[in-house]
Amino acid sequence: MAAAAFLQPVAAVQSNRVLNNSGAHYEFRNVSMRLIPKGSKVNIQLSRNGTYGSGKRNFCMIQASASQTSVVDPVSTPLNNSTGESKKKSNEAALILVRHGESLWNEKNLFTGCVDVPLTKKGVEEAIEAGKRISNIPVDMIYTSALIRAQMTAMLAMTQHRRRKVPIVMHNESEQAKSWSQIFSEETMKQSIPVVTAWQLNERMYGELQGLNKQETADRYGKEQVHVWRRSYDIPPPNGESLEMCAKRAVAYFEDHIEPQLQSGKNVMIAAHGNSLRSIIMYLDKLTSQEVISLELSTGIPMLYIFKEGKFMRRGSPVAPTEAGVYAYTRNLARYRQKLDEMLH
Protein backbone atom coordinates (compact mmCIF):
# COMPACT_ATOMS: atom_id res chain seq x y z
CA MET A 1 0.00 0.00 0.00
CA ALA A 2 1.32 3.44 -0.97
CA ALA A 3 0.40 4.91 2.38
CA ALA A 4 2.56 2.44 4.24
CA ALA A 5 5.67 4.40 3.38
CA PHE A 6 4.36 7.27 5.45
CA LEU A 7 4.16 5.29 8.66
CA GLN A 8 7.78 6.25 9.13
CA PRO A 9 7.25 9.97 9.12
CA VAL A 10 7.82 12.25 7.50
CA ALA A 11 1.02 38.80 2.39
CA ALA A 12 -0.36 40.67 1.35
CA VAL A 13 2.39 42.93 0.22
CA GLN A 14 1.86 46.32 -1.16
CA SER A 15 3.90 47.17 -4.22
CA ASN A 16 7.23 45.44 -3.70
CA ARG A 17 10.57 46.78 -4.78
CA VAL A 18 13.58 44.51 -4.85
CA LEU A 19 17.05 45.13 -6.19
CA ASN A 20 19.11 42.49 -7.88
CA ASN A 21 21.96 42.45 -10.37
CA SER A 22 19.73 43.50 -13.24
CA GLY A 23 18.16 46.52 -11.55
CA ALA A 24 15.04 47.29 -9.52
CA HIS A 25 12.04 45.00 -9.75
CA TYR A 26 8.61 46.33 -8.79
CA GLU A 27 5.40 44.34 -8.37
CA PHE A 28 1.92 45.73 -7.79
CA ARG A 29 -1.11 43.49 -8.05
CA ASN A 30 -0.71 41.73 -11.40
CA VAL A 31 1.80 44.15 -12.88
CA SER A 32 5.49 43.38 -12.85
CA MET A 33 7.96 46.14 -13.73
CA ARG A 34 11.73 45.84 -13.92
CA LEU A 35 13.90 48.97 -14.19
CA ILE A 36 16.99 48.22 -16.22
CA PRO A 37 20.19 50.19 -15.47
CA LYS A 38 20.47 53.73 -16.79
CA GLY A 39 20.46 53.98 -20.55
CA SER A 40 18.21 50.99 -21.07
CA LYS A 41 14.48 50.91 -21.64
CA VAL A 42 11.91 50.08 -18.99
CA ASN A 43 10.15 46.78 -19.53
CA ILE A 44 6.63 46.49 -18.13
CA GLN A 45 4.74 43.22 -18.37
CA LEU A 46 1.74 41.48 -16.89
CA SER A 47 2.66 38.56 -14.70
CA ARG A 48 0.31 35.58 -14.69
CA ASN A 49 1.41 34.75 -11.17
CA GLY A 50 1.76 38.33 -10.00
CA THR A 51 -0.77 38.16 -7.22
CA TYR A 52 -2.56 35.49 -5.35
CA GLY A 53 -5.39 37.41 -3.74
CA SER A 54 -8.07 34.89 -2.91
CA GLY A 55 -11.05 37.13 -2.45
CA LYS A 56 -13.14 38.10 0.53
CA ARG A 57 -14.28 34.57 1.18
CA ASN A 58 -10.76 33.70 2.30
CA PHE A 59 -10.63 36.30 5.07
CA CYS A 60 -11.41 34.94 8.52
CA MET A 61 -10.06 36.11 11.83
CA ILE A 62 -6.28 36.47 11.60
CA GLN A 63 -5.53 34.80 8.29
CA ALA A 64 -4.51 36.64 5.16
CA SER A 65 -4.54 35.25 1.66
CA ALA A 66 -1.38 35.61 -0.32
CA SER A 67 -0.07 38.21 -2.66
CA GLN A 68 3.09 37.04 -4.31
CA THR A 69 6.26 38.75 -3.25
CA SER A 70 9.63 38.80 -4.87
CA VAL A 71 12.46 38.39 -2.43
CA VAL A 72 15.37 37.98 -4.77
CA ASP A 73 18.59 36.42 -3.54
CA PRO A 74 20.99 34.41 -5.71
CA VAL A 75 21.81 32.14 -2.77
CA SER A 76 18.29 31.58 -1.51
CA THR A 77 16.90 30.80 -4.95
CA PRO A 78 19.44 28.38 -6.43
CA LEU A 79 16.82 26.78 -8.61
CA ASN A 80 16.80 29.76 -10.95
CA ASN A 81 18.41 29.40 -14.33
CA SER A 82 22.17 29.62 -13.84
CA THR A 83 22.57 31.65 -17.03
CA GLY A 84 20.66 34.53 -15.46
CA GLU A 85 17.79 34.48 -17.95
CA SER A 86 15.11 35.97 -15.70
CA LYS A 87 12.23 35.15 -18.03
CA LYS A 88 12.94 31.42 -18.09
CA LYS A 89 11.15 29.59 -15.30
CA SER A 90 12.92 26.95 -13.31
CA ASN A 91 11.61 23.43 -13.72
CA GLU A 92 12.62 22.36 -10.24
CA ALA A 93 11.70 23.43 -6.72
CA ALA A 94 11.60 22.07 -3.18
CA LEU A 95 8.39 21.59 -1.19
CA ILE A 96 8.62 20.98 2.57
CA LEU A 97 5.58 19.81 4.55
CA VAL A 98 5.63 19.82 8.34
CA ARG A 99 2.88 19.04 10.82
CA HIS A 100 2.88 21.35 13.83
CA GLY A 101 4.51 20.24 17.06
CA GLU A 102 2.54 18.93 20.01
CA SER A 103 -0.14 21.36 21.20
CA LEU A 104 -1.51 21.86 24.70
CA TRP A 105 -4.68 20.02 23.71
CA ASN A 106 -2.70 17.17 22.11
CA GLU A 107 -1.07 16.80 25.50
CA LYS A 108 -4.49 16.71 27.22
CA ASN A 109 -5.88 14.23 24.65
CA LEU A 110 -8.63 16.63 23.58
CA PHE A 111 -10.21 17.01 20.14
CA THR A 112 -8.70 20.28 18.90
CA GLY A 113 -9.82 20.85 15.32
CA CYS A 114 -10.05 24.58 14.63
CA VAL A 115 -9.69 25.68 18.26
CA ASP A 116 -6.62 27.90 18.41
CA VAL A 117 -4.22 26.60 21.07
CA PRO A 118 -0.42 26.96 21.27
CA LEU A 119 2.41 24.44 21.46
CA THR A 120 3.63 22.66 24.56
CA LYS A 121 7.28 22.72 25.57
CA LYS A 122 7.64 19.41 23.74
CA GLY A 123 5.95 20.96 20.70
CA VAL A 124 8.45 23.82 20.74
CA GLU A 125 11.30 21.32 20.84
CA GLU A 126 9.75 19.35 17.97
CA ALA A 127 9.49 22.52 15.87
CA ILE A 128 13.13 23.36 16.54
CA GLU A 129 14.18 19.84 15.62
CA ALA A 130 12.19 20.12 12.39
CA GLY A 131 14.08 23.32 11.64
CA LYS A 132 17.41 21.56 12.12
CA ARG A 133 16.38 18.87 9.65
CA ILE A 134 15.65 21.42 6.93
CA SER A 135 18.33 23.96 7.86
CA ASN A 136 20.20 23.54 4.57
CA ILE A 137 17.16 23.36 2.27
CA PRO A 138 16.24 26.63 0.52
CA VAL A 139 12.98 28.30 1.57
CA ASP A 140 11.57 31.25 -0.38
CA MET A 141 7.93 31.21 0.77
CA ILE A 142 6.16 29.86 3.85
CA TYR A 143 2.48 28.99 4.07
CA THR A 144 0.76 28.21 7.36
CA SER A 145 -2.78 27.79 8.57
CA ALA A 146 -4.50 30.56 10.50
CA LEU A 147 -3.88 28.66 13.75
CA ILE A 148 -1.12 29.61 16.18
CA ARG A 149 0.31 26.11 16.61
CA ALA A 150 1.16 25.92 12.91
CA GLN A 151 2.54 29.45 12.85
CA MET A 152 4.69 28.83 15.93
CA THR A 153 6.08 25.69 14.28
CA ALA A 154 7.05 27.57 11.12
CA MET A 155 8.68 30.45 12.99
CA LEU A 156 10.60 28.25 15.41
CA ALA A 157 11.78 26.00 12.58
CA MET A 158 13.20 28.94 10.67
CA THR A 159 15.29 30.05 13.66
CA GLN A 160 17.47 27.03 12.87
CA HIS A 161 17.98 27.77 9.17
CA ARG A 162 21.56 28.44 8.21
CA ARG A 163 20.61 31.29 5.86
CA ARG A 164 19.19 33.24 8.84
CA LYS A 165 16.46 34.90 6.83
CA VAL A 166 13.61 36.37 8.85
CA PRO A 167 10.08 34.98 8.33
CA ILE A 168 7.58 37.86 8.18
CA VAL A 169 3.81 37.36 8.27
CA MET A 170 2.13 39.18 5.41
CA HIS A 171 -1.05 41.16 6.23
CA ASN A 172 -3.56 42.25 3.61
CA GLU A 173 -6.73 42.14 5.68
CA SER A 174 -7.07 45.93 5.44
CA GLU A 175 -5.46 48.89 3.74
CA GLN A 176 -4.13 50.02 7.10
CA ALA A 177 -2.55 46.62 7.72
CA LYS A 178 -0.84 46.83 4.34
CA SER A 179 0.44 50.33 5.01
CA TRP A 180 1.58 49.74 8.58
CA SER A 181 3.47 46.53 7.76
CA GLN A 182 5.35 47.98 4.79
CA ILE A 183 9.12 47.38 4.61
CA PHE A 184 11.22 50.22 3.16
CA SER A 185 14.67 48.65 3.19
CA GLU A 186 15.58 46.75 0.04
CA GLU A 187 18.34 44.91 1.86
CA THR A 188 15.91 43.85 4.59
CA MET A 189 13.47 42.60 1.97
CA LYS A 190 16.19 40.41 0.50
CA GLN A 191 16.80 38.91 3.93
CA SER A 192 13.12 38.16 4.59
CA ILE A 193 10.83 35.23 3.85
CA PRO A 194 7.14 36.02 3.26
CA VAL A 195 4.78 34.00 5.46
CA VAL A 196 1.22 33.64 4.19
CA THR A 197 -1.51 32.43 6.54
CA ALA A 198 -4.64 30.80 5.14
CA TRP A 199 -7.66 29.32 6.92
CA GLN A 200 -7.99 26.81 4.09
CA LEU A 201 -4.93 25.03 5.56
CA ASN A 202 -6.57 24.78 8.99
CA GLU A 203 -7.10 21.47 10.71
CA ARG A 204 -10.34 19.62 10.01
CA MET A 205 -13.21 21.18 11.97
CA TYR A 206 -14.32 18.55 14.46
CA GLY A 207 -17.71 20.10 15.18
CA GLU A 208 -19.30 19.05 18.47
CA LEU A 209 -16.25 16.95 19.39
CA GLN A 210 -13.98 19.97 19.80
CA GLY A 211 -12.80 20.29 23.38
CA LEU A 212 -13.96 16.79 24.35
CA ASN A 213 -11.58 14.24 25.80
CA LYS A 214 -10.97 11.50 23.22
CA GLN A 215 -11.16 8.63 25.68
CA GLU A 216 -14.32 9.96 27.33
CA THR A 217 -15.88 10.44 23.89
CA ALA A 218 -15.08 6.83 23.01
CA ASP A 219 -16.65 5.68 26.26
CA ARG A 220 -19.76 7.71 25.53
CA TYR A 221 -20.31 6.96 21.83
CA GLY A 222 -18.34 3.74 21.47
CA LYS A 223 -14.85 3.19 20.05
CA GLU A 224 -16.15 2.13 16.65
CA GLN A 225 -18.23 5.28 16.18
CA VAL A 226 -15.38 7.56 17.23
CA HIS A 227 -13.02 5.66 14.93
CA VAL A 228 -15.44 6.28 12.03
CA TRP A 229 -15.54 10.00 12.80
CA ARG A 230 -11.74 10.21 13.07
CA ARG A 231 -10.61 7.93 10.25
CA SER A 232 -13.34 7.59 7.64
CA TYR A 233 -12.96 9.64 4.47
CA ASP A 234 -16.47 10.98 3.95
CA ILE A 235 -18.30 10.72 7.30
CA PRO A 236 -18.06 13.91 9.41
CA PRO A 237 -18.46 14.15 13.18
CA PRO A 238 -21.64 15.96 14.34
CA ASN A 239 -21.68 19.44 12.73
CA GLY A 240 -18.05 19.04 11.66
CA GLU A 241 -15.99 18.31 8.55
CA SER A 242 -15.10 14.97 7.03
CA LEU A 243 -11.62 14.43 5.61
CA GLU A 244 -13.19 14.76 2.16
CA MET A 245 -14.54 18.21 3.05
CA CYS A 246 -11.18 19.26 4.50
CA ALA A 247 -9.40 18.00 1.37
CA LYS A 248 -11.68 20.01 -0.89
CA ARG A 249 -10.61 23.35 0.60
CA ALA A 250 -6.95 22.46 1.33
CA VAL A 251 -6.18 20.99 -2.10
CA ALA A 252 -8.01 23.80 -3.91
CA TYR A 253 -5.87 26.33 -2.04
CA PHE A 254 -2.71 24.37 -2.82
CA GLU A 255 -3.54 24.24 -6.53
CA ASP A 256 -4.56 27.91 -6.77
CA HIS A 257 -1.89 29.55 -4.62
CA ILE A 258 1.02 27.28 -3.71
CA GLU A 259 1.56 25.21 -6.83
CA PRO A 260 2.06 28.33 -9.01
CA GLN A 261 4.89 29.39 -6.67
CA LEU A 262 6.56 26.01 -7.18
CA GLN A 263 6.06 26.27 -10.93
CA SER A 264 7.88 29.60 -10.89
CA GLY A 265 10.86 27.95 -9.17
CA LYS A 266 10.24 29.11 -5.61
CA ASN A 267 10.93 26.75 -2.73
CA VAL A 268 7.98 26.49 -0.36
CA MET A 269 7.44 25.27 3.19
CA ILE A 270 3.93 24.47 4.46
CA ALA A 271 3.38 24.23 8.21
CA ALA A 272 -0.10 22.90 8.85
CA HIS A 273 -2.05 20.04 10.44
CA GLY A 274 -2.54 16.30 10.29
CA ASN A 275 -5.68 16.35 8.15
CA SER A 276 -4.92 19.30 5.90
CA LEU A 277 -1.49 17.83 5.16
CA ARG A 278 -2.93 14.36 4.63
CA SER A 279 -5.23 15.94 2.07
CA ILE A 280 -2.34 17.61 0.25
CA ILE A 281 -0.25 14.42 0.32
CA MET A 282 -3.22 12.54 -1.10
CA TYR A 283 -3.10 14.97 -4.02
CA LEU A 284 0.69 14.88 -4.41
CA ASP A 285 1.02 11.09 -4.26
CA LYS A 286 -2.31 10.32 -5.93
CA LEU A 287 -3.51 8.22 -2.99
CA THR A 288 -6.95 6.67 -2.97
CA SER A 289 -9.52 7.48 -0.29
CA GLN A 290 -8.73 4.13 1.31
CA GLU A 291 -4.98 4.72 1.30
CA VAL A 292 -5.20 8.20 2.81
CA ILE A 293 -7.22 7.09 5.84
CA SER A 294 -4.27 4.87 6.81
CA LEU A 295 -1.79 7.72 6.49
CA GLU A 296 -0.31 8.90 9.78
CA LEU A 297 1.88 11.99 10.14
CA SER A 298 4.05 12.56 13.20
CA THR A 299 4.22 16.01 14.78
CA GLY A 300 7.30 18.02 13.91
CA ILE A 301 8.67 15.67 11.23
CA PRO A 302 9.23 17.46 7.88
CA MET A 303 8.66 15.76 4.54
CA LEU A 304 10.56 16.83 1.43
CA TYR A 305 9.18 16.76 -2.11
CA ILE A 306 10.92 17.81 -5.30
CA PHE A 307 8.70 19.45 -7.90
CA LYS A 308 10.20 18.85 -11.33
CA GLU A 309 8.69 18.94 -14.81
CA GLY A 310 5.20 19.17 -13.40
CA LYS A 311 5.57 16.16 -11.11
CA PHE A 312 6.03 15.76 -7.35
CA MET A 313 8.69 13.32 -6.16
CA ARG A 314 8.66 12.37 -2.48
CA ARG A 315 12.08 12.25 -0.83
CA GLY A 316 11.10 11.41 2.74
CA SER A 317 12.33 13.28 5.79
CA PRO A 318 15.80 14.83 6.05
CA VAL A 319 17.67 12.97 8.77
CA ALA A 320 19.85 15.77 10.11
CA PRO A 321 21.33 19.10 9.03
CA THR A 322 24.59 17.45 8.00
CA GLU A 323 22.99 14.53 6.19
CA ALA A 324 24.41 14.65 2.67
CA GLY A 325 21.92 12.23 1.18
CA VAL A 326 19.04 14.66 0.96
CA TYR A 327 21.05 16.98 -1.27
CA ALA A 328 22.05 14.22 -3.63
CA TYR A 329 18.47 14.05 -4.86
CA THR A 330 19.04 17.04 -7.11
CA ARG A 331 22.03 18.93 -8.35
CA ASN A 332 20.37 22.22 -7.51
CA LEU A 333 20.03 21.39 -3.82
CA ALA A 334 23.65 20.27 -3.78
CA ARG A 335 24.73 23.57 -5.34
CA TYR A 336 22.63 25.49 -2.82
CA ARG A 337 24.33 23.75 0.09
CA GLN A 338 27.75 24.41 -1.41
CA LYS A 339 26.94 28.11 -1.73
CA LEU A 340 25.77 28.22 1.87
CA ASP A 341 28.99 26.59 3.03
CA GLU A 342 31.10 29.04 1.03
CA MET A 343 29.15 32.05 2.28
CA LEU A 344 28.99 31.09 5.95
CA HIS A 345 32.56 29.90 6.43
Side-chain angles (χ1 to χ4, degrees):
M1 180 180 289
F6 289 93
L7 295 179
Q8 297 180 351
V10 246
V13 177
Q14 55 282 354
S15 63
N16 295 319
R17 189 177 80 159
V18 181
L19 282 180
N20 60 19
N21 293 335
S22 60
H25 178 205
Y26 292 79
E27 291 187 344
F28 183 77
R29 295 185 181 176
N30 65 336
V31 177
S32 176
M33 180 175 72
R34 185 176 299 280
L35 299 183
I36 309 301
K38 186 175 180 179
S40 302
K41 65 180 182 179
V42 175
N43 178 29
I44 303 177
Q45 60 185 9
L46 291 179
S47 172
R48 288 182 297 177
N49 297 326
T51 62
Y52 290 95
S54 51
K56 292 183 179 178
R57 63 184 180 86
N58 290 347
F59 298 155
C60 175
M61 294 167 45
I62 64 170
Q63 72 281 5
S65 57
S67 292
Q68 182 180 2
T69 63
S70 288
V71 183
V72 180
D73 185 337
V75 174
S76 67
T77 56
L79 305 182
N80 291 339
N81 188 291
S82 59
T83 63
E85 296 178 8
S86 60
K87 293 183 180 180
K88 186 175 181 180
K89 290 185 177 179
S90 168
N91 64 349
E92 186 178 290
L95 171 64
I96 301 165
L97 307 179
V98 58
R99 183 185 176 191
H100 65 81
E102 181 189 67
S103 76
L104 287 168
W105 275 17
N106 291 146
E107 182 183 48
K108 294 179 181 295
N109 200 33
L110 305 180
F111 284 101
T112 310
C114 287
V115 180
D116 207 0
V117 297
L119 300 179
T120 61
K121 179 181 178 181
K122 178 183 176 182
V124 169
E125 293 170 351
E126 288 177 330
I128 290 172
E129 177 60 28
K132 291 177 180 178
R133 288 174 178 244
I134 63 169
S135 63
N136 291 319
I137 300 175
V139 177
D140 302 314
M141 290 283 297
I142 298 173
Y143 288 85
T144 79
S145 76
L147 303 175
I148 191 64
R149 57 192 186 271
Q151 295 175 25
M152 287 178 70
T153 298
M155 299 301 186
L156 289 166
M158 292 312 298
T159 65
Q160 305 302 306
H161 203 276
R162 293 179 67 197
R163 189 62 181 88
R164 299 300 182 193
K165 286 194 171 186
V166 178
I168 298 178
V169 177
M170 301 289 102
H171 288 284
N172 66 352
E173 56 267 38
S174 69
E175 289 300 320
Q176 179 173 294
K178 291 180 185 180
S179 175
W180 285 20
S181 62
Q182 187 172 357
I183 299 172
F184 294 94
S185 167
E186 292 156 354
E187 183 61 29
T188 300
M189 281 294 295
K190 289 193 291 183
Q191 296 302 317
S192 303
I193 300 177
V195 180
V196 179
T197 62
W199 70 266
Q200 293 90 335
L201 300 175
N202 279 12
E203 178 58 286
R204 174 157 77 107
M205 204 279 278
Y206 269 97
E208 295 177 16
L209 300 186
Q210 292 186 168
L212 300 183
N213 180 277
K214 294 177 182 177
Q215 183 57 52
E216 292 174 359
T217 305
D219 294 340
R220 178 179 176 182
Y221 294 100
K223 291 183 179 179
E224 290 186 7
Q225 179 60 68
V226 173
H227 182 76
V228 168
W229 286 335
R230 295 189 67 191
R231 285 294 176 260
S232 64
Y233 182 68
D234 56 1
I235 301 176
N239 295 315
E241 284 185 308
S242 65
L243 178 57
E244 182 180 33
M245 296 162 70
C246 177
K248 185 175 181 180
R249 59 172 165 85
V251 173
Y253 186 86
F254 182 88
E255 290 182 299
D256 292 344
H257 301 280
I258 301 176
E259 198 163 351
Q261 300 282 10
L262 295 164
Q263 290 170 344
S264 70
K266 289 191 175 181
N267 308 292
V268 176
M269 180 173 79
I270 304 175
H273 307 266
N275 284 299
S276 55
L277 289 177
R278 288 167 73 205
S279 302
I280 291 172
I281 290 172
M282 181 183 182
Y283 168 74
L284 300 179
D285 287 351
K286 297 179 173 57
L287 303 181
T288 67
S289 59
Q290 288 302 307
E291 289 173 328
V292 75
I293 62 176
S294 301
L295 174 60
E296 296 288 346
L297 300 178
S298 296
T299 54
I301 303 295
M303 281 293 299
L304 174 66
Y305 283 79
I306 300 298
F307 178 77
K308 187 174 184 179
E309 297 177 356
K311 296 181 180 179
F312 291 94
M313 296 169 283
R314 178 164 46 87
R315 298 309 191 194
S317 180
V319 177
T322 57
E323 177 62 38
V326 71
Y327 305 99
Y329 291 134
T330 69
R331 278 182 236 157
N332 284 333
L333 284 181
R335 281 199 298 268
Y336 176 81
R337 188 185 187 192
Q338 182 180 1
K339 287 182 179 180
L340 271 181
D341 290 339
E342 292 172 355
M343 181 180 65
L344 299 173
H345 292 87

